[in-house]
Structures are given as structure tokens and as C-alpha cells.
Amino acid sequence: MGAMSTSAVAIDRERIRELTEREERRLDERTVASRETYGRARRHLSGGVASSYQLRDPWPIYLERGEGPKVWDVDGNEMWDFHNGFGSMVQGHAHPAIGRAVSERYARGTHFAAPTEDGIVVADELARRFGLPKWRYTNSGSESTMDAIRIAARGRGATS
């Protein structure tokens, strides 16, 4: 292995600013339908978006559809989806196997807020794959954290 270089790298901050401004202008020019959508969205959505994470100046980019690793905005711009729904979309958009499974489940009902055979099947598969014997499904990271705190507190003799 060669020696690591320890020389400093000069960053041309003015060039970075120029490139950033140029690319922002190009994006704004290509997203006029998103600008119009933003105008409608601001009527009833705070900031024109469903989540603060989606904010962008001067307007958010509104997506219309996705297929595989790509998404299209309301202007028809095709983009690679590197966000992947906070990582939950690693399989991409509109995956045929997932579409078939959703269609089959949809015909039998979609949400019961009660125990089902599906929950058991998934828990069995998770236990098999990961070697962890017990599973709990949650609706959010906050709910997961609350469950973890309760479990940890029980392990130290606390009651809840």
C-alpha cells in the first residue's frame, strides 16, 4: 500500500457557488408545472408539502409516477430515485411481484387493525431470515422507540 497524501486541497468556493446557482436556475426552468402545483398545494398544505423534509426553495419538485429506479415529475422530467422513500423502496417503484401481491391482498381486504394470518407468516419468515425469535410491527420510528424503551425498562425490573 502506498503512503496517504496529506496535502491540503484548495476548494474554490466561488466556483461552487456559480455551479450551484447555474444548476438551480436550470432546475427551476425545467419545473414550471411543479411551480404551478405548489401554488395549488399551498392552499391547504402547510408549506405546500405533506412533510417538512419535502420543502425546497423556490418550490418543491412534485413527482407524478415511478417505475423501477426512476421517477418522473409533473413536468415529465425523468430522474433516478436515489432517495428511495427513506430507504424503504430499495426494490424500486411498481415492481411487478409486489403489484401482484398487493392485488391479491386487496381482493381479500387491506387493513383490519386486528391479528391476521399474514402477520404470523411474516413473523415466521423474519425469524427464519434473521434468527431473532420475537417480532413486533410498528407504524413509525417513534412507536418503535417507545416499544424499545418499554422492553429495556422491563429488563431492568421496571413495570409498565
Side-chain angles (χ1 to χ4, degrees):
M1 290 194 150
M4 287 185 73
S5 173
T6 58
S7 60
V9 175
I11 297 174
D12 185 346
R13 299 211 183 270
E14 179 60 23
R15 179 71 175 139
I16 291 171
R17 186 190 62 71
E18 289 170 5
L19 291 171
T20 300
E21 287 177 1
R22 181 188 78 191
E23 293 304 311
E24 286 176 345
R25 275 192 310 274
R26 288 179 64 203
L27 182 61
D28 292 348
E29 290 167 2
R30 291 181 16 236
T31 59
V32 293
S34 277
R35 181 183 66 210
E36 293 164 5
T37 304
Y38 177 57
R40 287 188 304 108
R42 290 186 336 191
R43 283 194 306 243
H44 298 293
L45 285 171
S46 178
V49 293
S51 164
S52 297
Y53 178 81
Q54 300 164 348
L55 291 169
R56 175 194 171 268
D57 284 330
W59 54 80
I61 306 303
Y62 291 85
L63 299 182
E64 186 172 69
R65 67 185 181 91
E67 183 177 329
K70 295 185 177 182
V71 292
W72 287 261
D73 66 12
V74 296
D75 289 276
N77 296 306
E78 177 182 323
M79 298 168 270
W80 290 95
D81 184 3
F82 292 107
H83 183 270
N84 294 322
F86 294 103
S88 66
M89 298 295 293
V90 295
Q91 74 288 344
H93 298 275
H95 193 287
I98 294 171
R100 281 191 301 276
V102 169
S103 292
E104 289 171 12
R105 176 72 257 179
Y106 180 81
R108 299 181 335 191
T110 55
H111 180 60
F112 303 108
T116 64
E117 181 67 25
D118 292 341
I120 299 167
V121 169
V122 171
D124 289 347
E125 180 61 16
L126 289 170
R128 183 192 70 75
R129 286 187 189 191
F130 298 104
L132 299 171
K134 297 285 182 184
W135 291 85
R136 172 64 54 100
Y137 310 125
T138 61
N139 294 308
S140 67
S142 297
E143 187 179 344
S144 297
T145 300
M146 289 186 293
D147 279 350
I149 291 169
R150 277 195 292 274
I151 290 167
R154 282 190 199 133
R156 292 191 319 227
T159 60
S160 58

